[in-house]
Amino acid sequence: MKVFIAQSLDGYIATKEESLDWLMTVEGEGDNGYGAFYETVDTVVMGRKTYDWVMSETNGYYPYPGKQGYVWTSQKDRQSDDVVFTDEAISTFFERLKSETGKDIWIVGGGNLIAQCLEAGVIDEMIVTVAPVLLGDGIPLFPQGAYASKWTLAGTKTYRQFIELAYVRG
């Protein structure tokens, strides 16, 4: 399981108003590694708030064609051709997914789902791209939680003003 996400220099993934406009103000390079990463996964998992935001930003178009999608939500009455809505226990769900053949699984976000996955110990790798922007407040990448753990730096890449930090558990 992988996290691939961008954050501000002070640790936020979005403003309080759920805006990512600040990311567009930073000079990057190409797609900042997104395309290469995207080819390594065949499954995307996200929380309901992230799903709702993504669908709103894309005018209802599912932006991950060809990838199996899952959304964590208690609103199981929702339906979509692109994703499965679930509230299955995280550890059970990811254990089942890991046992299936295929590529890696991308935990898209948001912060609350990432925290729950860290607490369950199911994330193996985190790729965090840092933008040189201070937001001062917003939605944190890592909200408070019981997920203290050690990670090892596996590599870095620079995309002009962005720095990508890759960590593996351990």
Side-chain angles (χ1 to χ4, degrees):
M1 302 314 142
K2 295 180 177 182
V3 170
F4 181 88
I5 198 163
Q7 72 169 25
S8 65
L9 188 57
D10 52 352
Y12 297 104
I13 57 176
T15 66
K16 278 189 162 185
E17 298 77 27
E18 300 180 353
S19 172
L20 299 180
D21 290 345
W22 55 275
L23 274 174
M24 307 315 150
T25 67
V26 179
E27 181 185 3
E29 184 176 321
D31 66 0
N32 300 315
Y34 176 80
F37 170 80
Y38 192 72
E39 290 303 315
T40 69
V41 300
D42 63 5
T43 304
V44 296
V45 181
M46 65 192 89
R48 186 201 44 84
K49 286 182 182 178
T50 299
Y51 174 77
D52 288 347
W53 183 88
V54 165
M55 296 306 285
S56 172
E57 290 294 307
T58 60
N59 296 316
Y61 170 75
Y62 182 67
Y64 309 111
K67 311 287 184 190
Q68 175 60 58
Y70 294 93
V71 175
W72 241 269
T73 180
S74 59
Q75 299 174 352
K76 292 172 61 176
D77 59 328
R78 300 178 76 166
Q79 298 294 319
S80 168
D81 293 335
D82 299 308
V83 299
V84 174
F85 295 91
T86 183
D87 64 354
E88 185 178 350
I90 286 178
S91 57
T92 305
F93 174 78
F94 282 109
E95 188 175 303
R96 181 173 49 80
L97 274 186
K98 276 187 171 182
S99 70
E100 296 174 2
T101 58
K103 296 181 179 181
D104 278 321
I105 300 158
W106 175 20
I107 302 169
V108 176
N112 289 330
L113 177 60
I114 292 170
Q116 291 176 52
C117 289
L118 285 168
E119 288 175 0
V122 299
I123 297 175
D124 306 309
E125 183 178 351
M126 287 192 282
I127 302 167
V128 179
T129 301
V130 180
V133 174
L134 295 171
L135 296 178
D137 199 0
I139 300 169
L141 172 54
F142 300 111
Q144 290 184 338
Y147 50 79
S149 54
K150 292 200 176 209
W151 294 78
T152 300
L153 182 65
T156 62
K157 293 180 184 171
T158 303
Y159 300 98
R160 295 202 183 164
Q161 292 297 306
F162 290 100
I163 183 83
E164 178 184 280
L165 304 167
Y167 293 96
V168 293
R169 184 177 289 280

